[in-house]
Amino acid sequence: MSFVKLISDDFVKNCLEWKTLVPVIEKSLVDISIKNKSTIQPARLFMDIPDKQGLFLAMPSYSENDHALACKLVTSFPQNKSIGIPSVLANILLFDPITGKIKAIVEANRITAWRTAAASAVATKCMHKGSKDILAILGAGTQAESHALALKEMFDFKEVRIWNRTRERAKILASKLPFECTLFESNEECVKDADVICTATYAKEPILQDTWVKEGAHINAIGAGQNHHSELSEALYRKSYLVVDHMESAEKELAGLTQMGIDIKGEIGNYLNSSKTVPEDVTCTIFHNLGIAIEDLVTANFIYNKFTKGQK
Ligand SMILES: NC(=O)C1=CN([C@@H]2O[C@H](COP(=O)(O)OP(=O)(O)OC[C@H]3O[C@@H](n4cnc5c(N)ncnc54)[C@H](O)[C@@H]3O)[C@@H](O)[C@H]2O)C=CC1
Ligand SMILES: O=C([O-])C1=[NH+]CCC1
């Protein structure tokens, strides 16, 4: 009799390091941009849970190269934080790609935090050729933490700044990070002269304005659920060069932007494999990090392989 393997967040924690995860995520972003059916990922399903302001998402994907079939089931309940539970809770189901039989359930809270930040690190390296002295993070939750860790590790920023709506949470985040951070009362002051900015909140109104952002800055836009473009102002989009992780997903999830006539220039995988390049004269660059299933698949598969090796 065979059992479904259960892999906990504690096991995941011991497997993940940025220097190994970032190349795995980079390869997955290139693979998904090659439209040849060996990597399959439909736009994900969103189900609203209106009375809880919650969301349920189903994110299936398949990779022939990785010999893996997976589906992440993830919820986003922003009110959870008030009762001490993470807002985003995820599990990844891994299936045998030959038979379709389930083989493991991987707890994926940490995977979600880390694969998203790894994708932002990959995009920052690819899209931003300027200096990397000042990093500004708007938000102080799980994603803010993983982004601070990943980007500091990858680029060794001289200064890491944090702004949050409530200063208390920014202080808690700063106390957890293994390096010094500067806390800001104002989001405008926080991003002034920043080379790279990450937005990782549930803000439904823009928390980043075009006039605050210095020329040449790079922005990773991570937050705000189904309405993914609410954190940045329309004017900022208009003056920036916008790239996404997955075009098919963006057509759905960023429809509000395209309806305003804002052009999505391409998928990050096209830039990573040099089939497209970011022009040198752009004012600012934005990577819209929607978060895609193939990133979850490759990370869960990587963890599963470590888990099963340990059992032999
Ligand atoms: N792109 C991706 O792959 C992923 C995106 N997300 C999104 O990232 C965002 C953050 O997620 P987590 O860090 O897990 O959540 P969290 O609950 O740990 O942190 C949320 C942060 O948003 C701030 N915030 C909440 N409402 C706000 C508002 N109206 N204005 C300004 N700040 C506000 C909170 O103070 C907190 O700092 C969410 O929008 C979530 O949907 C989450 C996981 C993956
Ligand atoms: O990609 C992802 O896992 C998520 N995006 C928004 C909430 C969870």
Side-chain angles (χ1 to χ4, degrees):
M1 184 165 169
S2 65
F3 293 94
V4 175
K5 292 181 172 46
L6 298 177
I7 306 181
S8 71
D9 233 11
D10 282 341
F11 183 85
V12 171
K13 183 177 177 186
N14 291 327
C15 299
L16 291 181
E17 324 180 285
W18 297 112
K19 67 174 188 301
T20 40
L21 180 63
V22 167
V24 170
I25 294 299
E26 177 163 350
K27 182 177 174 303
S28 76
L29 292 167
V30 173
D31 285 351
I32 200 67
S33 69
I34 302 165
K35 312 293 175 197
N36 67 358
K37 299 260 187 263
S38 64
T39 309
I40 301 173
Q41 176 196 265
R44 60 190 162 187
L45 174 133
F46 281 90
M47 183 173 79
D48 263 317
I49 304 164
D51 59 330
K52 306 285 181 301
Q53 295 167 40
L55 276 178
F56 179 95
L57 288 74
M59 303 173 62
S61 62
Y62 169 71
S63 165
E64 190 180 328
N65 297 340
D66 294 287
H67 194 63
L69 175 65
C71 183
K72 182 165 87 170
L73 299 176
V74 51
T75 51
S76 173
F77 282 70
Q79 312 306 341
N80 278 1
K81 276 285 157 97
S82 62
I83 49 168
I85 298 174
S87 314
V88 174
L89 294 167
N91 285 282
I92 299 170
L93 280 60
L94 276 177
F95 302 87
D96 180 329
I98 297 172
T99 61
K101 187 169 185 277
I102 187 163
K103 56 181 191 178
I105 301 175
V106 188
E107 204 181 347
N109 301 343
R110 185 171 291 263
I111 292 180
T112 301
W114 277 55
R115 63 67 150 142
T116 313
S120 290
V122 168
T124 303
K125 182 179 66 156
C126 173
M127 294 178 68
H128 181 70
K129 300 298 174 208
S131 55
K132 293 183 189 61
D133 293 334
I134 304 178
L135 169 67
I137 310 244
L138 303 185
T142 307
Q143 287 293 333
E145 180 178 356
S146 58
H147 276 75
L149 289 170
L151 294 172
K152 172 75 176 164
E153 164 103 5
M154 296 296 294
F155 308 113
D156 198 23
F157 283 92
K158 293 190 183 118
E159 187 184 353
V160 179
R161 300 173 175 177
I162 302 170
W163 167 84
N164 195 53
R165 205 172 43 159
T166 50
R167 190 180 168 86
E168 209 40 50
R169 281 190 72 177
K171 268 168 104 176
I172 294 170
L173 173 56
S175 72
K176 286 199 271 181
L177 291 170
F179 44 80
E180 285 288 311
C181 305
T182 326
L183 304 190
F184 282 77
E185 295 291 342
S186 133
N187 38 350
E188 179 172 356
E189 285 302 310
C190 181
V191 301
K192 192 173 170 200
D193 297 324
D195 301 298
V196 176
I197 302 167
C198 299
T199 59
T201 72
Y202 279 102
K204 292 194 175 77
E205 302 296 331
I207 51 167
L208 189 59
Q209 301 291 341
D210 66 307
T211 49
W212 305 349
V213 176
K214 83 164 183 186
E215 200 163 307
H218 172 73
I219 299 147
N220 296 304
I222 297 116
Q226 199 163 3
N227 182 13
H228 251 289
H229 53 277
S230 57
E231 291 181 299
L232 315 187
S233 75
E234 183 183 334
L236 181 53
Y237 281 110
R238 292 209 184 277
K239 78 170 195 187
S240 303
Y241 189 89
L242 174 61
V243 169
V244 297
D245 42 14
H246 187 229
M247 211 48 141
E248 196 183 327
S249 303
E251 277 159 15
K252 261 177 99 177
E253 297 177 26
L254 298 179
L257 279 186
T258 45
Q259 279 156 14
M260 289 192 284
I262 291 161
D263 197 20
I264 300 173
K265 298 294 192 303
E267 276 181 9
I268 191 69
N270 303 139
Y271 297 83
L272 291 166
N273 71 8
S274 304
S275 53
K276 285 189 180 181
T277 45
V278 179
E280 277 178 20
D281 59 350
V282 295
T283 314
C284 294
T285 48
I286 299 174
F287 172 57
H288 238 297
N289 190 344
L290 302 170
I292 54 175
I294 201 71
E295 300 164 345
D296 296 308
L297 174 146
V298 294
T299 313
N301 202 39
F302 171 81
I303 306 274
Y304 177 83
N305 289 338
K306 287 206 172 234
F307 186 83
T308 48
K309 215 168 155 194
Q311 289 192 325
K312 278 179 193 151

